Amino acid sequence: MSSPTISIKSETGEKRALSPMQKAKRRRLIVKSVVVLAITLICAIPLWYIVINTFKTTGDMQTNQLGFPKKWTLANYKDAFENIPILRSFVNTLIVTVFGVAFQVLIGAVAAYGMILRKSVFTSAIGAILLVAFVVPGQATLIPLYQMESKAGLVNTLAGLVVMYLGGAVFCYFLIVGYMRSLPFELIEAARIDGAGPFRIFWSIVIPLIRPILTTVVVFQTMGTWNDFMTANIFISSSNLRTIVLQVYNAVGQFSTDWPSFMTITVIALLPVFIFFILCQKWIVSGLVAGSVKG
Amino acid sequence: MMTHVMSAVTRIKGRSETSDPTPGTVDEKSLYKKRKRRQGLRDDLTSFWFLLPILAVFVILFAVPLVQTLIYSFTDFNGYSMNMHYVGWVNYQKVFTDSSTLQGLIFTVIYAVLQTIFITVIAIPLAVTLNGKFFGRNFARSMFFFFSVPSMAILGLVWRYIFSPMKTGLVNSFLGLFGIDSLPWLSNSHLAQGCVIFVAVWAQIGWHATLYLAFLQSIPHDLYEQATVDGASKRQQFVHITLPQLVPGIVTSTFLLMNGGLKVYDLPFTLTKGGPGYSTYTVTQSIIQQGIGQSQYGVGSALAVLFTLATAVVVFAQMGVANSISRRFQ
């Protein structure tokens, strides 16, 4: 990120007069940086707004919306943890996300392996069928699925939510099968000749080889499942089963006038997402690119 | 693990001459064929076991409900009485005559089209800017990208406070600084529609800019070097190199936006609840409302069927466009 002018300075070790062209170039760079950073910060105002107001009292917030608090307070955080079962919601979300994503990815990976293992009329038919499933929007099956889960007693249970998320296995399958097809098939063939069974080949050869795409898919699906609002809102009605997104949604009704309290629960809900983003940004980007290529 | 795999490779290389059986006599030939067929069947069976879970997912979560939706759409099924009657196209007629459903349909299409246009027009220059050199580049890239990571539902709720019609709402108090009266952002139909689309653009711009950035970075650098040597200006380079090279990216991005836009639910629901009136009502909200909320399975299902057809048209149109483009560019 160092500009060329700086490198000239360090090379010679002394200040050298810049040519007019270099000066103009440097000025342009500075102007561009200032403009872009200003736009970035303007776009980030909503984030600043919700974070800074969690440290204010309601009265302070009404008179001073974007500035620093007159008196910093952590009372909002204390209230939030006392009044709302936030930890419970986190645990619910964690359970749903871990099981949902694990099953999705496992089913998708196993299916992709079954697909590349053998090419026959049967597997091509399944490939075509799965393409149909890939195109069908979730809304098209929502009503019968709600009935089905209601008959099975799965509505308003975390297990029922996990079952709903299993549909994501089709997306995982498409991402993984594309990657698997690029692997040299000789590796599988060789292992088979050496006497390894299909399961053994899957665990000790295929899985290690597809680890990059698995990471991508896991990160991507984790984001989708953690953030889901529609399915959770339809299927979960008990307050002790709410996921964190639902909890924030319900907090609006609860704190209609107490804005700092709402902001506090939002910030608490976004904190894990932010940490996840910092740690996994690289894979989120690779998932975004891979997912968009698949369409 | 790698060494294990590598040794397997060398082993098959050494073996390839001997392992391929070249059957000599007729007897051996038929035996070989038989064995091969049996091996094939066994392979079919193994591959079937691996495909079984996803087949179960397909049947239970896609095929059966899809057929049920189709059947419900022609009946008066209400979920309570088990005997349903065939009613023909009545439910489909209801979809096109019910004003709330129609409004939902109209807003969904407006939303999908406008978000696609705005985001594409802003994200490309943003990506080009973020691809260039400036101070704080990584910070700017991460910041724009971060907006698209939290749940849209939560972002919708946050913006509901920002757009609050009260004087204390952030936007209104900002307008107050210039002596402008408070505006009823979310309680006026047109303003509310604008707000929903604005937040959608704000939240997704970084995502699509990142997508374009990936495509930009795959453009061969010598194209620009040659153009510079030939004396092409920055703008000419953008129009004649960057844009044509970005076409596959534009196809993917606009497709994702159209497809996602038609399915939208979270953002309008949390920001405006579909209101005021039905001005920001969406197809998905309508399906949920009628099918699950009011137990009008028939009408909800008819809407779902039409919706599936509409998204299928978009998907196939995109596939066609993508194919013709990739053929032209190869």
Side-chain angles (χ1 to χ4, degrees), chain A residues 65 140 147 193-194 227 292, chain B residues 11 15 69 72 149 168 252 255:
Chain A
Q65 301 215 33
Q147 275 188 302
I193 289 165
D194 286 349
N227 285 341
S292 59
Chain B
R11 237 171 291 154
R15 213 178 265 215
T69 301
Y72 292 162
V149 176
T168 46
T252 356
F255 164 71

Side-chain angles (χ1 to χ4, degrees), chain A:
Chain A
M1 209 154 321
S2 64
S3 72
T5 50
I6 290 168
S7 64
I8 289 169
K9 211 166 101 185
S10 60
E11 264 166 36
T12 53
E14 58 187 70
K15 227 178 190 167
R16 218 169 66 177
L18 295 166
S19 70
M21 224 175 103
Q22 280 174 317
K23 252 187 198 160
K25 213 174 175 185
R26 195 165 104 166
R27 203 174 306 130
R28 257 210 313 271
L29 186 71
I30 290 171
V31 169
K32 187 184 174 190
S33 307
V34 169
V35 171
V36 176
L37 287 180
I39 293 172
T40 312
L41 291 178
I42 289 171
C43 286
I45 286 176
L47 297 184
W48 167 257
Y49 174 67
I50 55 166
V51 172
I52 198 67
N53 283 322
T54 58
F55 300 106
K56 296 176 190 168
T57 58
T58 315
D60 191 5
M61 180 188 167
Q62 272 165 3
T63 52
N64 156 37
Q65 301 215 33
L66 286 177
F68 286 105
K70 285 194 192 86
K71 212 177 137 234
W72 293 78
T73 169
L74 283 175
N76 294 318
Y77 285 90
K78 206 173 135 246
D79 286 353
F81 278 105
E82 270 169 12
N83 296 331
I84 299 170
I86 294 176
L87 286 179
R88 173 80 222 194
S89 312
F90 270 129
V91 171
N92 291 337
T93 319
L94 205 62
I95 292 172
V96 169
T97 308
V98 167
F99 283 99
V101 174
F103 283 124
Q104 277 174 48
V105 175
L106 191 68
I107 293 173
V110 160
Y113 176 63
M115 272 314 256
I116 62 149
L117 211 51
R118 182 149 174 82
K119 193 163 171 53
S120 65
V121 189
F122 173 67
T123 52
S124 336
I126 291 179
I129 279 175
L130 291 179
L131 199 64
V132 172
F134 194 59
V135 174
V136 170
Q139 286 86 339
T141 51
L142 205 54
I143 296 170
L145 281 178
Y146 186 83
Q147 275 188 302
M148 186 192 86
E149 291 223 337
S150 151
K151 264 183 219 148
L154 285 171
V155 168
N156 200 19
T157 63
L158 293 182
L161 210 50
V162 171
V163 170
M164 285 299 290
Y165 292 143
L166 290 187
V170 176
F171 176 76
C172 299
Y173 157 79
F174 274 107
L175 284 193
I176 296 170
V177 83
Y179 192 88
M180 258 190 206
R181 287 228 161 93
S182 69
L183 295 179
F185 193 73
E186 292 82 24
L187 294 178
I188 292 170
E189 205 56 36
R192 191 185 290 171
I193 289 165
D194 286 349
F199 284 96
R200 173 97 199 274
I201 296 175
F202 181 68
W203 278 118
S204 25
I205 293 179
V206 175
I207 289 285
L209 283 173
I210 62 168
R211 203 174 286 154
I213 193 77
L214 284 185
T215 320
T216 299
V217 172
V218 165
V219 167
F220 210 63
Q221 294 303 97
T222 300
M223 238 170 71
T225 314
W226 185 280
N227 285 341
D228 171 68
F229 172 72
M230 187 178 84
T231 324
N233 193 30
I234 293 171
F235 283 82
I236 300 294
S237 47
S238 322
S239 59
N240 62 334
L241 290 177
R242 277 177 198 151
T243 60
I244 191 72
V245 178
L246 276 190
Q247 199 62 262
V248 176
Y249 176 68
N250 281 289
V252 174
Q254 210 170 326
F255 300 124
S256 52
T257 52
D258 186 359
W259 290 18
S261 288
F262 167 76
M263 310 266 161
T264 307
I265 173 149
T266 309
V267 170
I268 296 171
L270 288 182
L271 207 61
V273 177
F274 184 69
I275 294 168
F276 178 79
F277 171 76
I278 300 278
L279 295 176
C280 302
Q281 192 178 359
K282 194 178 101 197
W283 291 293
I284 302 174
V285 173
S286 63
L288 148 76
V289 174
S292 59
V293 168
K294 213 61 228 174

Side-chain angles (χ1 to χ4, degrees), chain B residues 176-250:
Chain B
L177 290 180
F178 301 98
I180 302 170
D181 279 341
S182 296
L183 282 172
W185 291 105
L186 299 177
S187 40
N188 169 299
S189 324
H190 290 293
L191 281 178
Q193 291 178 336
C195 287
V196 170
I197 293 165
F198 172 82
V199 176
V201 171
W202 171 83
Q204 296 176 87
I205 202 96
W207 187 258
H208 289 268
T210 311
L211 184 65
Y212 282 119
L213 206 55
F215 278 91
L216 278 179
Q217 282 163 354
S218 68
I219 299 178
H221 205 72
D222 33 322
L223 285 180
Y224 291 104
E225 277 163 20
Q226 279 169 15
T228 314
V229 170
D230 291 346
S233 70
K234 276 267 184 301
R235 178 174 299 180
Q236 284 173 321
Q237 292 185 13
F238 178 76
V239 174
H240 295 290
I241 301 174
T242 312
L243 272 186
Q245 291 279 330
L246 272 187
V247 166
I250 296 173

Side-chain angles (χ1 to χ4, degrees), chain B residues 2 6 38 46 59 83 90 175 228-229 241 244 255 268 301 314:
Chain B
M2 262 337 263
M6 292 312 275
R38 201 181 301 143
T46 15
V59 171
N83 46 349
V90 170
L175 290 180
T228 314
V229 170
I241 301 174
F255 164 71
S301 299
V314 173

